[in-house]
Amino acid sequence: MDPMESASQAETGRPTFLKHLHDRPQAPLADWLRAPAHVHYKAFRMSDPPAQRKASRDEFQSLLSSFFFPAEHRVLRDTFGYGVREGGQGDRVIVVWQAHTEYYNYQLWHLPPPSIGHVSFGPLQFPDFTFPATPLGTAVCALDILLSHDPLPSNGELRTLLPGPVLYGSKVFDEQTSLVTSFTPDQDDRERYWISLGNTSSVSRLKDIVDAIVRIETYYHLLLMQKPLFSAAIDQVYKFEQVHLKQREIITGHIAHADSTTLQRWLNSLTQDLLKTNRIAGRLHFELSASLPYDKIVHTTLASLAERPLDSYRPVSDFILGGITGAAEGYQQLLRRIETLRGGFEGIISIIRARVDLILEGQNLSLLQSVDKTTKSQVILQHTVEGLSIIVIAYYLAGLAGYVFKGLYEIGWLKNPNIASAIFVPISIGLAFVITNVSKRYLHKKLAKEQAQDHEHRP
C-alpha cells in the first residue's frame, strides 16, 4: 500500500475514533427524566464476561422489541443502551442497560403522569410492563429508589416504609437534596432509598443522583461478596504457612547429611505444595485483584456526593465506610502473604535442587576418575598386548624362516642354517613391528572414513 494512502486512511479514521472517545450516549436521557420518579436497579456479576456481556446486550435488545419501544426512542451501543416508551396517560417507562468489565446492570425508570404527584415503593406501576430478563450470573444488588419534590416524611413514617433497625440519611450535592435509606432488603430483596429533591428544578441532577447511589451500592457489594472466599483462603494459607515452617526447619537441619533419596522425597513434597499454592494464588488474584479500584470508586463517589449531616439520621457514609474499611487492604495483604509463601517454597526447592546437583557432580567426578583410571589401564594393557603381538609375530616369522633355511641347507644352497636363523631374528622383529603399525593405521583410517559417512547420512 502506498504510504500516502495509508496516511490518508489514518487521518480519515482519527476523527471517528475521537468521536467515539468523547461520545456520551447517556446525555439525551436527561431530556426524558422528571420527578417524581420510581427507579428499580439490578446488577449481576458475570461468571463469563466475554460471552455473557454479549448475551446481556442481546437480552436487552429483545426486551426493547418485546415491549414495542419505538425505534426512534432507542439507543444501543456495545456496552450501553436505553429505550423510552410513553403510556396513554402521559406516564413514561425508561429501561437503561449497561455492561461493565465484571458486571452488567439495568435501571428501570417509571415516571408517572404529571397529574400524579407521588410514587410509592414496590412494583413499577407502568401498565402492562414486566421485566422478563433472566439473570446472567450472580445477583450483586437490587435497589428500589423514589425521587420526589416533596419534603422528607417524618422519621416515624420513614421507619414504616424502610425496613431495618437503623435509618441513615444525608444531604447530598446541595442543601435541597436529601436521601434516607436503611441498607436493609425488603420482602422483594431490594434496598429502599427515599430521595427528596426539594424545590430544585434541575432534571439533569436526577440521573447523577441515581448513578452515584447505584455505583456506591454495586461496588460496595462487589467488595463484600469476596469475604467468604477471603475467609476460607485465610485459613488455608495459614495452614500452608505452618506446614512450610515445619518443613523448612526439618530440611535446614538435615540437608547437610541427607542422601539423594531423602532429597528427592523432600523435593516431591515441596513441589506438590507449590502447585497447590499456585492454584490458590491464581484464583485469588482473579477474584481479589480488582478490590483496590473498587474501593477507590466507592470513596471517590462518596466524596462527589458532598455529603452533609441530616438531622436525626446517621450519615450514609458511616454505613458504607464501616463495611468496606480495611476490606480491600486485607485482600491485598492476603495476596502478598501468598506471594511470600510461594517465594518461600521456590527458595527451599532451589536449595534442595542445588544440593542434588552437588551430589550428582560429586558422583560424576568419581565416575570420571574411575573412567580415567580404567582408560590408563587399558592404554597400558594395549601397549603390552602390542608388544606381545610383535614378539609373537617375530617368533612365528623366525620359525618359518628356520624351516626355509633348513630346506636350503639340505639342497646345498646354504652352508649353516643356524647362523642364518640367528641373523634373521632381528629382521623378523622389524618386520613384525612394521606389520603391526601398518595394520593399526589401516584400521584407524577405515574407522574414520565410516564415521564421516555416518555424519553425511544423518538428517
Side-chain angles (χ1 to χ4, degrees), residues 142-209:
L143 306 179
D144 191 346
I145 304 171
L146 300 184
L147 299 104
S148 173
H149 286 299
D150 297 335
L152 280 177
S154 66
N155 189 290
E157 187 177 353
L158 282 175
R159 285 190 178 278
T160 63
L161 296 173
L162 304 176
V166 181
L167 297 183
Y168 297 84
S170 301
K171 293 182 178 181
V172 294
F173 290 112
D174 53 47
E175 289 296 331
Q176 298 182 5
T177 306
S178 303
L179 68 84
V180 178
T181 183
S182 61
F183 294 107
T184 303
D186 60 15
Q187 67 275 10
D188 297 314
D189 291 328
R190 289 191 285 258
E191 297 178 33
R192 294 180 173 182
Y193 278 81
W194 186 293
I195 300 173
S196 175
L197 304 171
N199 297 322
T200 180
S201 59
S202 175
V203 295
S204 62
R205 274 291 189 191
L206 298 180
K207 189 72 167 61
D208 294 338
I209 294 169

Side-chain angles (χ1 to χ4, degrees), residues 325-385:
T325 297
E329 181 56 35
Y331 297 162
Q332 299 305 310
Q333 180 64 29
L334 176 61
L335 294 178
R336 287 193 288 269
R337 283 176 62 183
I338 291 178
E339 287 300 320
T340 301
L341 180 61
R342 184 161 60 178
F345 278 126
E346 291 174 348
I348 199 71
I349 286 174
S350 298
I351 293 173
I352 294 176
R353 284 177 175 169
R355 180 65 179 168
V356 171
D357 291 341
L358 288 175
I359 292 176
L360 290 176
E361 288 180 4
Q363 293 175 347
N364 291 337
L365 183 60
S366 299
L367 181 61
L368 289 174
Q369 291 174 346
S370 175
V371 170
D372 184 56
K373 291 180 180 178
T374 303
T375 303
K376 289 180 179 179
S377 300
Q378 288 177 344
V379 170
I380 294 172
L381 181 60
Q382 181 180 354
H383 286 303
T384 303
V385 170

Side-chain angles (χ1 to χ4, degrees), residues 440-457:
K440 186 163 63 174
R441 289 178 184 176
Y442 172 76
L443 291 174
H444 281 305
K445 187 175 180 180
K446 185 177 180 181
L447 181 62
K449 186 177 180 181
E450 290 177 353
Q451 289 177 347
Q453 290 176 348
D454 289 340
H455 284 297
E456 289 177 359
H457 290 299

